[in-house]
Amino acid sequence: MKRYLDQALETYGQSDIYPFHMPGHKRQRMGEFRPEEIDITEIDGFDNLHHADGILKEGQDRLASLFGVEESFYLVNGSTAGILAAVCGCMAKGGRLLIGRNCHKSVYHAAYLTEARVEYIYPEPTDFGIQGSIAPAQVEQKLEEFPDIQAVVITSPTYDGIISDIETIARMVHRHGIPLIVDAAHGAHFGFSEAFPQKAIALGADLSVESLHKTLPCYTQTAVLHMQGAAESSCMNLSGRWKDRSDQGSPSIDSEAAGMECYRFDPERVKRYLGIIQTSSPSYVLMAGIDRCVRMLEEDLRKYRRPEQRQESRFGMFENRLRQFYERCKGFRFVEVFSYAYEQHPTGIFGRDFSKILISAAMAGMNGRQLYDLLLKKYHLQLEMFSGHYVTAIATIMDTEEGFCRLYDALREIDERKASGKGCTTGEFLNRNRISPGGIGRTGLSDEKGTAIAAEKLTPVNLYRPKKKSLEITQAVDAKKCVLPLSEAANRISGEFIYLYPPGIPIIVPGEVITKDTLDMLTACRLRGMQVQGMADLSSETVQVVLEANHAM
């Protein structure tokens, strides 16, 4: 029987499965949009995104004003387009780039496009087993070690809601005269409520990318690029030539522009890359969705800022629902819900976005995949993702009281069944519904050994531990390669990315040496049913490695 996507989506939309995942509108109606009626091209009166001087310019200015920045730009190719434009616009070809090793794959793709020489900073370890914040001291150390770094890119907040000390890091980076780019894709809701941190751009980031669709009521693919300090920028000389100083440090002005104030990045260059990277046929449905989201936020913030109406605002209700949910979960014995209180500063964590709900049922005998499947198949709760030992639920201002109650009730039942000694959730029900960590592909390890590795090693800290770099990303991707079975690739240099999706953070980057330990962890990931992607071989059975003759840097 043929299965058409539109029909499958309509059927799914009528189901009782509750979405604790993006997009942030949570499948709720936000108006009377009829896509066919408003899906147009650049006709009279409706402006052109690539030469905005009318209604789209007004919309982008309105967005910038609401978000408190100098310039904001609609992104209809997702945050990926903003990341690519920001990095390419701030880097000279072959320059040195400092990035957080937990950055999204789009940052690595930008490094490839700019032929960057990449240096890494690593997140701090945490007690919960997730990747923590980027320590400012580590950033400073790298900037001192490599004075020719042209830009710094970090992710804050992360997929798990971990925040870094952007204000301190920005001051350090700016002392070296270079820009700080923050991938804040998961932080579009920041700055609108006292319960959430300030936006990265308000704390000193020069460029910041936010995915509206992830945490606000907006359509998938909608995002924004913010730029701060552009009005003061004069890094372009009068003739508009950009001087490449990739061997001396940051791109800079020509000598004829000497004496002019030189800011940290050239906004016109970033805009030029936006024009290259974004589609020439931007969707008016998506752009209208962005402007509608701005209008909804403006209206909601008027309520939120009035004490007598705060509890009626979406952000006010959202804060209360989240706090009540976390308070109720404190009584669990075998299900652990990671604390929302980012001000408590747990080990390795500077700050925390408590709308990312991290849940572990390890003490109830379940790994992340089993808990994820159980919540979906028995309780009809679709979460965002699972990792080795926990699951992630994304909550937004569009979540309902019913949704939070259903999640709490499900976790309470799991906890109570374990406490009573029945164990049905990890025995009878899991077996009946074939919820198992094993049997994913030809891995070369028995289920028993793979499961043991998973139990011991499948934490983000172990998955993304430092690896030896033998080639730069561009060198490895463009080198001559051969294909090997993944199980035979130990001690070879990878010629392609290997990552879990979600979250899209590379476990192996082209140019890094594949170790036996990494192969074991990838095997364990596959046994858990985690999506190992990035390789040209969609079955993830083989990997491209650099031929021996190309090893020398």
Side-chain angles (χ1 to χ4, degrees):
M1 180 178 178
K2 290 182 179 179
R3 192 162 177 260
Y4 293 97
L5 178 60
D6 61 328
Q7 295 173 338
L9 287 171
E10 287 176 1
T11 300
Y12 182 79
Q14 299 303 313
S15 72
D16 69 340
I17 296 176
Y18 189 88
F20 274 107
H21 59 81
M22 61 182 82
H25 57 67
K26 299 303 183 87
R27 304 209 312 268
Q28 291 200 49
R29 295 294 295 272
M30 298 178 290
E32 296 302 321
F33 267 20
R34 294 179 178 87
E36 291 83 0
E37 292 182 2
I38 65 171
D39 187 17
I40 62 172
T41 187
E42 291 84 355
I43 58 177
D44 289 354
F46 288 93
D47 211 354
N48 184 318
L49 183 62
H50 292 281
H51 191 80
D53 59 4
I55 193 169
L56 295 180
K57 175 68 163 58
E58 293 169 11
Q60 292 181 125
D61 289 347
R62 185 163 43 242
L63 189 151
S65 176
L66 176 67
F67 282 55
V69 299
E70 290 174 4
E71 285 191 281
S72 295
F73 303 91
Y74 289 171
L75 302 176
V76 293
N77 293 61
S79 282
T80 291
I83 291 293
L84 293 174
V87 175
C88 291
C90 291
M91 291 288 296
K93 211 76 163 175
R96 196 179 299 276
L97 177 66
L98 179 62
I99 70 174
R101 187 59 176 79
N102 61 334
C103 281
H104 184 260
K105 62 179 182 176
S106 58
V107 176
Y108 293 86
H109 294 163
Y112 168 73
L113 292 174
T114 58
E115 301 177 14
R117 294 169 290 153
V118 178
E119 303 298 334
Y120 297 115
I121 38 181
Y122 289 83
E124 296 289 291
T126 67
D127 295 336
F128 192 74
I130 61 177
Q131 292 181 304
S133 306
I134 296 292
Q138 192 182 165
V139 177
E140 182 66 23
Q141 179 184 348
K142 286 290 185 179
L143 291 173
E144 293 293 337
E145 184 180 355
F146 300 99
D148 59 342
I149 288 172
Q150 295 181 357
V152 178
V153 187
I154 63 172
T155 300
S156 180
T158 67
Y159 214 126
D160 292 325
I162 302 303
I163 301 157
S164 294
D165 185 355
I166 299 298
E167 190 170 17
T168 299
I169 292 173
R171 284 200 302 267
M172 291 176 171
V173 173
H174 293 164
R175 280 201 298 268
H176 290 261
I178 57 176
L180 173 63
I181 303 167
V182 177
D183 178 355
H186 283 271
H189 59 299
F190 283 11
F192 297 119
S193 159
E194 293 176 359
F196 295 102
Q198 293 185 60
K199 291 183 175 294
I201 203 79
L203 294 171
D206 297 280
L207 302 100
S208 175
V209 179
E210 296 179 337
S211 289
L212 301 185
H213 74 93
K214 284 182 169 62
T215 60
L216 289 175
C218 221
Y219 294 130
T220 298
Q221 280 187 222
T222 55
V224 292
L225 169 64
H226 303 301
M227 293 198 304
Q228 194 81 347
E232 305 164 48
S233 177
S234 56
C235 283
M236 286 291 289
N237 67 15
L238 298 177
S239 61
R241 293 195 302 273
W242 183 269
K243 183 180 178 183
D244 184 348
R245 279 206 317 174
S246 58
D247 59 334
Q248 301 175 44
S250 305
S252 71
I253 54 173
D254 280 338
S255 57
E256 67 186 74
M260 297 172 62
E261 179 189 1
C262 182
Y263 214 62
R264 293 177 287 270
F265 73 102
D266 172 31
E268 296 305 318
R269 198 163 187 261
V270 176
K271 294 175 189 177
R272 186 160 64 250
Y273 273 102
L274 265 182
I276 293 170
I277 292 163
Q278 292 229 85
T279 175
S280 60
S281 302
S283 166
Y284 274 81
V285 176
L286 296 183
M287 292 187 291
I290 294 175
D291 215 15
R292 179 179 60 185
C293 178
V294 169
R295 185 174 71 250
M296 290 178 66
L297 291 173
E298 288 174 336
E299 294 170 354
D300 195 66
L301 286 174
R302 280 194 289 270
K303 284 185 179 181
Y304 184 85
R305 288 165 180 163
R306 296 185 183 122
E308 69 277 9
Q309 292 185 300
R310 175 168 292 192
Q311 300 310 312
E312 301 172 14
S313 70
R314 289 188 182 275
F315 271 106
M317 290 188 288
F318 185 42
E319 291 174 9
N320 289 335
R321 287 168 181 165
L322 276 171
R323 288 196 175 97
Q324 290 170 7
F325 172 80
Y326 280 101
E327 284 297 320
R328 296 177 74 190
C329 291
K330 284 182 178 179
F332 295 155
R333 292 172 56 193
F334 300 98
V335 173
E336 181 182 7
V337 179
F338 189 46
S339 171
Y340 74 88
Y342 58 80
E343 65 271 12
Q344 292 180 359
H345 293 260
T347 302
I349 297 176
F350 173 78
R352 171 99 169 90
D353 170 14
F354 73 137
S355 70
K356 302 296 191 299
I357 303 172
L358 310 185
I359 308 163
S360 171
M363 290 186 290
M366 279 183 281
N367 59 46
R369 173 61 187 268
Q370 290 173 324
L371 178 58
Y372 176 92
D373 283 350
L374 179 62
L375 290 171
L376 176 59
K377 295 182 178 181
K378 183 175 183 180
Y379 300 101
H380 294 186
L381 298 170
Q382 176 65 70
L383 271 61
E384 172 68 22
M385 64 164 282
F386 64 88
S387 188
H389 67 291
Y390 69 96
V391 297
T392 300
I394 291 182
T396 77
I397 60 173
M398 301 300 286
D399 277 297
T400 64
E401 183 72 24
E402 178 200 358
F404 280 107
C405 287
R406 285 179 60 181
L407 180 58
Y408 169 77
D409 289 343
L411 298 177
R412 176 180 53 78
E413 182 174 88
I414 294 170
D415 190 75
E416 288 178 350
R417 295 187 75 89
K418 177 63 178 178
S420 68
K422 293 181 180 179
C424 174
T425 51
T426 56
E428 177 189 337
F429 183 84
L430 293 178
N431 291 331
R432 186 168 64 244
N433 290 273
R434 298 181 181 179
I435 300 175
S436 166
I440 309 295
R442 298 188 301 276
T443 61
L445 288 182
S446 66
D447 281 6
E448 181 179 353
K449 183 176 180 183
T451 302
I453 292 171
E456 178 185 355
K457 295 186 176 181
L458 278 193
T459 65
V461 172
N462 284 329
L463 283 170
Y464 303 108
R465 66 177 54 170
K467 305 194 173 54
K468 179 183 177 183
K469 182 177 77 172
S470 293
L471 294 172
E472 296 294 348
I473 294 172
T474 307
Q475 292 174 318
V477 172
D478 292 345
K480 292 183 178 179
K481 295 180 282 287
C482 64
V483 177
L484 290 178
L486 195 60
S487 58
E488 298 176 15
N491 302 317
R492 299 297 295 269
I493 298 173
S494 179
E496 54 187 347
F497 291 96
I498 303 177
Y499 50 80
L500 298 178
Y501 205 92
I505 301 168
I507 295 174
I508 286 287
V509 173
E512 291 182 340
V513 176
I514 303 171
T515 65
K516 178 65 166 62
D517 188 57
T518 299
L519 292 176
D520 286 347
M521 283 190 284
L522 289 172
T523 294
C525 288
R526 294 168 67 203
L527 285 170
R528 286 278 173 91
M530 301 167 85
Q531 298 183 56
V532 179
Q533 298 182 3
M535 297 96 92
D537 178 3
L538 298 183
S539 72
S540 302
E541 300 287 345
T542 63
V543 63
Q544 296 181 5
V545 298
V546 177
L547 289 173
E548 299 288 343
N550 290 278
H551 282 201
M553 290 186 69

